[in-house]
Amino acid sequence: LAQLEIRMLREQLLKAVQDAQRSQGPSEEPVAPGPAEPPAKSVIVPMLSNGSKPGASTNGNPRVLYVEDSEPNFRLVESVLVDRPGTDLIWAETGQKALDVARSQNPQLVLLDLDLPDIHGRRVLQELQAQPETAKIPVIVISADATPSQIERILAAGARNYLTKPF
């Protein structure tokens, strides 16, 4: 049963990523990553083909920012995105780090948990949409809160999709 749920999550997540990338289209001017280091405890994990090493050049690879305070949840999504070679997965454990990373790393997609240790994910979504440099980044919420009213509020607030945990 767990394998089936993971397979279903993989399919949902990959479809959501593909839909978000299609709707965003090519960026007008790609931003090359600068020499600055990511914020403390944030991790950049290149999702490259087998044999590639973490830290390898990521020129032109799409970036996905996953905002999640649970390392096991991050590792699960990381394992799902292994099926998308060439995708850089960036991890931010708090809402504030996510906002900083979104501005500095220019991700093509944000996967956002709502229950974060510092600020609520809805606030992160609002802040992303309020800033011109991050306003057009598609956001997919991944949350354990599966109440219809919460899903409706988050989608109305601008999230592209809402996936529920557990997977």
Side-chain angles (χ1 to χ4, degrees):
L1 183 59
Q3 290 293 345
L4 178 60
E5 289 175 345
I6 290 171
R7 194 171 325 145
M8 289 174 54
L9 163 67
R10 179 175 287 141
E11 291 170 6
Q12 285 181 327
L13 189 55
L14 291 176
K15 182 182 182 317
V17 168
Q18 289 168 348
D19 290 348
Q21 287 175 342
R22 270 196 301 271
S23 68
Q24 187 177 17
S27 60
E28 296 173 9
E29 190 174 313
V31 176
E37 305 239 347
K41 290 195 175 188
S42 291
V43 178
I44 297 178
V45 182
M47 308 306 274
L48 303 171
S49 60
N50 291 339
S52 297
K53 297 180 182 177
S57 174
T58 59
N59 293 338
N61 290 344
R63 289 186 189 97
V64 176
L65 171 58
Y66 186 23
V67 188
E68 171 64 67
D69 60 324
S70 166
E71 185 173 353
N73 287 344
F74 170 76
R75 296 293 172 209
L76 177 60
V77 169
E78 177 184 43
S79 71
V80 169
L81 290 179
V82 165
D83 291 342
R84 301 239 351 134
T87 299
D88 292 341
L89 180 62
I90 306 169
W91 180 25
E93 295 172 295
T94 66
Q96 186 57 54
K97 287 180 187 173
L99 294 170
D100 295 341
V101 170
R103 285 188 283 267
S104 67
Q105 297 291 321
N106 193 29
Q108 281 71 46
L109 176 69
V110 173
L111 303 175
L112 176 63
D113 183 27
L114 294 179
D115 190 21
L116 300 171
D118 57 345
I119 56 179
H120 193 268
R122 183 174 180 173
R123 177 66 186 244
V124 174
L125 176 62
Q126 291 169 339
E127 292 289 327
L128 288 171
Q129 292 181 332
Q131 301 300 317
E133 64 269 6
T134 58
K136 293 187 179 182
I137 300 171
V139 176
I140 298 172
V141 170
I142 302 177
S143 177
D145 186 346
T147 60
S149 60
Q150 174 74 316
I151 294 170
E152 185 177 316
R153 278 191 302 271
I154 295 298
L155 292 174
R160 285 286 168 90
N161 204 342
Y162 195 112
L163 304 176
T164 57
K165 300 183 225 177
F167 305 122

